[in-house]
């Protein structure tokens, strides 16, 4: 008597073998780290940020030693921490903007987004996982670069003696001032840590813009245009309403957390400004998710 072997079940499709949101995040991490543009953009960010911090700090101190005074020379004396963190990272942030856009728009240009959305029909977990993985990557790299930039600048400025000239009651007065910078000074640690936090949210801001526009060149132009041109120029708006509009713009508010001391006339504290930046970014990410749900890939 022969027995009939039970029919074997066909292998479960890939969609049935998914491990939930953790699997989506793992897939996004694999995509981000395996793309060559991620590595090169982060290398550019590190080299530009650290290189310019060292170069511009040294050049400014050298100019002071040779008697050439400028606004930059004055700022390194009055607020050395803001000068150190603002020189290299001020330009390096553009690399984070570009990377944030590329994380999403490169998938649209290559068509890879279609495969991701087929595997995750609900769609929104793809954007959430992408944002979380990218945020984790940027916060780690950003904090490392922020602390390295600070210690590079600290090594250059600490102990540098500057002679300040002025007048008191009509008499010329010269005062020798020694620049000192330390993490233990009030507000300094917050400024350094805040620089990494700012870069993380800036990357997510750029990712959201990329998700809205879905075109690499257009999204990069939009983000850099806002960061370097539109938002700073809003400071020229007249009257008190102009000052309030300028203060609540995304990157203008976000950069407050990178300062160790408040500026004159500052409307928001560092953490309030960071909260405003986060709110803008969350709104843009939400809009990108809504469009991802409604538009064809």
């Amino acid at each position: 008597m022969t027995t009939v072997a039970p029919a074997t079940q066909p292998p479960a499709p890939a969609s049935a073998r998914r491990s939930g949101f953790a699997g989506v995040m793992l897939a996004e991490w694999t995509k981000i780290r395996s793309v060559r543009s991620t590595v090169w953009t982060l290398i550019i960010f590190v080299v530009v940020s650290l290189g310019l911090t060292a170069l511009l700090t040294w050049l400014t101190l050298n100019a002071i030693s040779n008697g050439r005074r400028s606004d930059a020379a004055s700022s390194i004396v009055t607020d050395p921490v803001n000068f150190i963190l603002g020189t290299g990272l001020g330009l390096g942030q553009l690399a984070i903007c570009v990377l944030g856009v590329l994380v999403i728009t490169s998938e649209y240009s290559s068509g890879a987004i279609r495969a991701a959305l087929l595997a995750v029909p609900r769609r929104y977990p793809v954007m959430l996982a992408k944002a979380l993985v990218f945020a984790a990557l940027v916060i780690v790299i950003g904090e490392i670069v922020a602390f390295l930039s600070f210690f590079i600048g600290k090594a250059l400025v600490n102990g540098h003696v500057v002679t300040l000239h002025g007048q008191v009651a009509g008499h010329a007065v010269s005062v020798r001032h020694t620049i000192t910078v330390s993490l233990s000074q009030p507000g300094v640690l917050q400024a350094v840590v805040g620089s990494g936090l700012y870069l993380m949210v800036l990357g997510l801001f750029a990712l959201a813009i990329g998700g809205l526009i879905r075109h690499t060149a257009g999204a990069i132009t939009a983000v850099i245009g806002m960061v370097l041109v539109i938002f700073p120029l809003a400071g020229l708006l007249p009257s008190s309403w102009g000052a309030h509009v300028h203060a609540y713009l995304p990157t203008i508010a976000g950069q407050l957390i990178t300062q160790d001391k408040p500026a004159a006339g500052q409307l928001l504290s560092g953490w309030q400004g960071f909260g405003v930046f986060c709110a803008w970014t969350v709104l843009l990410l939400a809009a990108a998710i809504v469009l991802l749900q409604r538009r064809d890939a």
Side-chain angles (χ1 to χ4, degrees):
M1 181 176 179
T2 59
T3 58
V4 179
T8 58
Q9 295 294 328
S15 59
R17 298 196 301 266
R18 292 197 304 269
S19 56
F21 188 67
V24 180
M25 290 189 64
L26 180 60
E28 292 300 328
W29 167 243
T30 302
K31 285 190 288 186
I32 287 179
R33 67 182 176 85
S34 61
V35 176
R36 191 174 301 175
S37 61
T38 301
V39 177
W40 282 110
T41 307
L42 289 176
I43 289 175
I44 291 172
F45 165 65
V46 173
V47 172
V48 169
S49 298
L50 299 182
L52 284 181
T53 297
L55 178 62
L56 295 179
T57 302
W58 179 81
L59 288 175
T60 304
L61 292 174
N62 187 60
I64 293 176
S65 300
N66 293 330
R68 299 192 301 271
R69 303 303 297 270
S70 63
D71 292 340
S74 299
S75 65
I76 200 173
V77 175
T78 58
D79 194 357
V81 174
N82 191 35
F83 180 91
I84 292 169
L85 295 177
T87 49
L89 292 176
L91 189 59
Q93 68 175 337
L94 300 183
I96 298 298
C97 292
V98 171
L99 182 58
V101 169
L102 289 176
V103 164
I104 182 68
T105 58
S106 61
E107 292 197 35
Y108 280 105
S109 60
S110 65
I113 190 69
R114 298 188 185 94
L117 297 182
L118 284 174
V120 187
R122 289 183 297 172
R123 294 192 172 196
Y124 72 86
V126 174
M127 183 66 79
L128 290 178
K130 196 181 296 291
L132 289 174
V133 170
F134 181 61
L137 175 64
V138 175
I139 188 62
V140 172
I141 302 296
E143 292 293 355
I144 292 173
V145 172
F147 274 93
L148 287 177
S149 296
F150 173 78
F151 287 122
I152 289 172
K154 175 186 174 183
L156 291 171
V157 304
N158 260 6
H160 193 90
V161 179
V162 179
T163 303
L164 304 176
H165 302 282
Q167 287 192 346
V168 177
H171 300 284
V173 177
S174 297
V175 178
R176 295 173 65 83
H177 173 72
T178 302
I179 303 176
T180 56
V181 173
S182 172
L183 281 176
S184 61
Q185 293 173 340
V188 175
L189 182 59
Q190 174 191 299
V192 179
V193 174
S195 296
L197 293 173
Y198 167 77
L199 291 171
M200 178 191 70
V201 181
L202 178 65
L204 292 175
F205 180 84
L207 188 151
I209 298 296
L212 291 171
I213 297 179
R214 303 200 302 181
H215 186 272
T216 301
I220 290 176
T221 301
V223 173
I224 293 180
M226 285 187 283
V227 172
L228 290 186
V229 181
I230 297 176
F231 295 159
L233 285 182
L236 300 177
L237 292 173
S239 189
S240 60
W241 67 267
H244 281 79
V245 169
H246 181 251
Y248 282 87
L249 291 175
T251 55
I252 301 300
Q255 286 174 352
L256 296 179
I257 200 174
T258 68
Q259 301 173 3
D260 62 318
K261 59 187 70 172
Q266 184 173 306
L267 299 177
L268 300 172
S269 68
W271 286 108
Q272 287 173 337
F274 183 68
V276 170
F277 193 19
C278 289
W280 277 103
T281 303
V282 168
L283 287 175
L284 290 174
L285 283 172
I289 289 174
V290 170
L291 291 181
L292 180 66
Q293 298 283 93
R294 295 183 177 181
R295 295 190 299 194
D296 294 331

